[in-house]
C-alpha cells in the first residue's frame, strides 16, 4: 500500500467528517488504503511504520490535503 505522511497536525476521524479518533502530529506515517472525495482511508500502525501493512493498527480517515502520499516512506518524506 502507498504510504502517507502527515504534513501538518491533523485529525484521524472514524469516517469522513465524523467523530475524532485521535490527533496525528506532523511527520506521522500511515498506510493509505484508498482515496475518495478528498479523504484518505488509512491505517496508523501500532508501532513504527514498516514495509508491511499493520492490519491490527488504527483505521480512520484524514483529509487528503493534509497528507503527502508516495509509493514508500522515503518517497512520502520528500513530497510536499
Amino acid at each position: 500500500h502507498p504510504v502517507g505522511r502527515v504534513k501538518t497536525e491533523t485529525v484521524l476521524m472514524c469516517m469522513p467528517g465524523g467523530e475524532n479518533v485521535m490527533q496525528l502530529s506532523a511527520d506521522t506515517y500511515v498506510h493509505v488504503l484508498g482515496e475518495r472525495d478528498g479523504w484518505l482511508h488509512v491505517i496508523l500502525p501500532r508501532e513504527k511504520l514498516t514495509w508491511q501493512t499493520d492490519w491490527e493498527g488504527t483505521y480512520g480517515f484524514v483529509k487528503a490535503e493534509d497528507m503527502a502520499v508516495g509509493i514508500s516512506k522515503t518517497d512520502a518524506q520528500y513530497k510536499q
Side-chain angles (χ1 to χ4, degrees):
H1 288 99
V3 172
R5 176 184 53 83
V6 177
K7 294 190 290 188
T8 182
E9 186 173 306
T10 192
V11 177
L12 180 69
M13 298 180 179
C14 64
M15 62 184 352
E19 293 183 29
N20 295 356
V21 174
M22 65 189 304
Q23 286 289 122
L24 297 176
S25 57
D27 295 325
T28 298
Y29 288 89
V30 298
H31 279 108
V32 178
L33 300 175
E35 180 177 4
R36 184 175 182 183
D37 299 327
W39 291 89
L40 297 177
H41 187 203
V42 303
I43 301 174
L44 176 67
R46 290 170 289 175
E47 296 181 20
K48 194 166 96 174
L49 184 110
T50 67
W51 63 272
Q52 291 183 303
T53 303
D54 182 0
W55 297 109
E56 300 293 320
T58 303
Y59 290 77
F61 292 84
V62 294
K63 291 181 182 178
E65 65 192 31
D66 294 338
M67 302 289 293
V69 179
I71 58 171
S72 67
K73 184 176 178 180
T74 302
D75 188 32
Q77 181 179 2
Y78 294 103
K79 291 200 174 192
Q80 299 297 322

